[in-house]
Amino acid sequence: MKAAFSESGQMIFKAGAVLLFAVAMVRVYINSGENASGMLSMPILMAEWSADKVGMVYPFFAPFIGALGAFIAGSNTISNLMFSLFQFGVADNLGMSPTWILALQAVGAAAGNMIAIHNVVAASATVGLLGKEGSVLRKTILPTLYYLLVTGLIGFPLIGIVGVMDQFMLNP
């Protein structure tokens, strides 16, 4: 029993060290909107820049942003919390349906769970593969990219070309 606790403790310590820094970064990003100086929050400022630079092809990239959030933060939920304001801001700046862009965000975040650092480290520690996370990521990156590409290729024509809107945008 002593050996089991010792081995488990070492794995938890190693995995926890990686996860600690990712959580801190997520908190800084989410709370960046709380300022008294009147400056735009980080997500809104990034949304304005992205809308200006990417333009109407943005729906193709929306799932990739969701996946990036899950990769960094370790969960679909935190990715959605972290990037929903950003995605909404881009949609608003481009005159696109925020509901559809946020749907692409959520789908991308779900795909990003396959390569989420938290999940890869936790799964590797659980099965005794701690230190082999790179191998796990190499095996899961192709299905993740496929999932994201297909989602982007569905979302872009519907939102960016056809201009699918939601019922909340159509009613004044």
Side-chain angles (χ1 to χ4, degrees):
M1 195 161 141
K2 183 180 174 184
F5 275 112
S6 175
E7 187 178 334
S8 298
Q10 289 175 358
M11 285 190 184
I12 289 171
F13 180 74
K14 290 177 184 175
V18 172
L19 305 179
L20 180 68
F21 295 107
V23 171
M25 195 264 331
V26 168
R27 296 303 313 160
V28 166
Y29 183 79
I30 289 173
N31 292 321
S32 74
E34 298 176 10
N35 62 60
S37 65
M39 294 175 62
L40 291 176
S41 69
M42 193 183 310
I44 295 300
L45 192 59
M46 289 170 55
E48 287 181 359
W49 184 89
S50 297
D52 182 49
K53 299 297 181 197
V54 178
M56 298 308 282
V57 297
Y58 183 77
F60 175 79
F61 296 104
F64 289 87
I65 301 297
L68 175 66
F71 173 74
I72 295 169
S75 85
N76 187 328
T77 302
I78 301 300
S79 175
N80 290 334
L81 286 171
M82 191 165 68
F83 284 120
S84 288
L85 183 57
F86 167 75
Q87 300 273 28
F88 186 93
V90 174
D92 190 45
N93 278 304
L94 293 173
M96 294 179 174
S97 167
T99 304
W100 285 97
I101 295 293
L102 291 171
L104 293 173
Q105 154 70 32
V107 172
N113 267 336
M114 288 188 269
I115 56 169
I117 294 172
H118 283 85
N119 296 341
V120 171
V121 169
S124 297
T126 302
V127 297
L129 293 175
L130 202 57
K132 302 207 186 311
E133 290 84 1
S135 175
V136 173
L137 282 171
R138 279 191 292 281
K139 291 180 174 134
T140 56
I141 194 71
L142 287 177
T144 302
L145 288 174
Y146 173 77
Y147 196 114
L148 295 171
L149 284 169
V150 168
T151 303
L153 289 171
I154 291 170
F156 168 62
L158 287 175
I159 301 166
I161 296 173
V162 176
V164 172
M165 298 299 226
D166 57 64
Q167 64 185 358
F168 302 111
M169 289 190 68
L170 297 177
N171 296 327

